[in-house]
Amino acid sequence: MGAGKWILVAAACAASLGCDTKPIGPKPGAGGAGSGPRQEVDTARKETHNPAPLIDPMGSLQVYKGAKHDIQCPTNLRSIGACLLMYTTRTGEYPPPGAFFRKMLESGDITDFNICAIPRSNATRDEVQAQMGEKAYRVTMDKLNDSTSTEKPIVWDPVPFQDGRHVLLLSGTVVDVTEDAFQGMMAKWEGK
């Protein structure tokens, strides 16, 4: 398993355990050798050369900077894809350009506007509907219909994150692409 996958697994474990847990303290009889978590960090650094330890010297569970985004963003996009499927099944049409989130929120197909916001952005419902600033996902401004290619990007991160973006395709697939690949996708699909 690659280092990136280990980070995601550790982040998921940290999220399920709660990120504010602390160890009881140093091991009895450690004589200043530090806590068990501190020893784990030292061992992990020697064995893996991991610059972002999962446990800091104070013993707090730490999640590397992008783990929340790496986990929550694709989950949000998949949820948006599922809501779009419900909307199109129920209405027989796609949301109109420029009103993608607003129509699905009004219809009740998206029940929680927070899935339309970038993780940790604290966006308001109005910001999501208007796709204002960098807090809400961007949505295609093209009219969607049954002849639209399933490879067309329909929802994506508003700004690059760690030189890449998460993108929801019309097929319901979420892909993580580099910024260059994303710009190529936009040139190929958007406005066509």
Side-chain angles (χ1 to χ4, degrees), residues 18-86:
C19 291
D20 294 329
T21 60
K22 298 279 185 188
I24 295 172
K27 291 181 182 177
S35 67
R38 173 60 191 222
Q39 292 170 357
E40 287 180 43
V41 168
D42 292 341
T43 302
R45 282 188 177 161
K46 288 176 189 171
E47 293 175 4
T48 65
H49 307 289
N50 180 5
L54 300 175
I55 304 171
D56 74 6
M58 298 304 292
S60 300
L61 253 44
Q62 297 292 313
V63 179
Y64 103 102
K65 182 180 176 183
K68 181 162 177 83
H69 188 84
D70 286 343
I71 294 169
Q72 191 62 47
C73 187
T75 301
N76 287 353
L77 292 174
R78 283 186 201 92
S79 296
I80 292 168
C83 293
L84 177 62
L85 181 60
M86 289 188 308

Side-chain angles (χ1 to χ4, degrees), residues 24-180:
I24 295 172
K27 291 181 182 177
S35 67
R38 173 60 191 222
Q39 292 170 357
E40 287 180 43
V41 168
D42 292 341
T43 302
R45 282 188 177 161
K46 288 176 189 171
E47 293 175 4
T48 65
H49 307 289
N50 180 5
L54 300 175
I55 304 171
D56 74 6
M58 298 304 292
S60 300
L61 253 44
Q62 297 292 313
V63 179
Y64 103 102
K65 182 180 176 183
K68 181 162 177 83
H69 188 84
D70 286 343
I71 294 169
Q72 191 62 47
C73 187
T75 301
N76 287 353
L77 292 174
R78 283 186 201 92
S79 296
I80 292 168
C83 293
L84 177 62
L85 181 60
M86 289 188 308
Y87 179 88
T88 57
T89 301
R90 190 178 50 73
T91 64
E93 59 186 22
Y94 289 91
F100 190 90
F101 289 144
R102 184 175 53 82
K103 280 293 195 184
M104 290 200 297
L105 284 162
E106 288 173 355
S107 69
D109 292 302
I110 293 179
T111 57
D112 180 8
F113 75 89
N114 288 306
I115 68 167
C116 306
I118 302 304
R120 302 176 90 171
S121 69
N122 298 322
T124 65
R125 185 181 180 100
D126 291 335
E127 289 171 324
V128 165
Q129 288 179 346
Q131 297 180 41
M132 294 161 57
E134 297 177 358
K135 293 183 176 183
Y137 292 109
R138 293 294 179 261
V139 179
T140 183
M141 295 307 284
D142 297 339
K143 182 169 177 51
L144 301 174
N145 56 47
D146 291 335
S147 63
T148 304
S149 172
T150 58
E151 296 302 308
K152 178 174 180 41
I154 58 170
V155 183
W156 55 85
D157 285 327
V159 294
F161 184 79
Q162 297 179 349
D163 194 36
R165 296 187 197 224
H166 294 105
V167 179
L168 171 65
L169 306 177
L170 187 58
S171 65
T173 305
V174 175
V175 294
D176 185 6
V177 297
T178 65
E179 183 60 16
D180 291 339

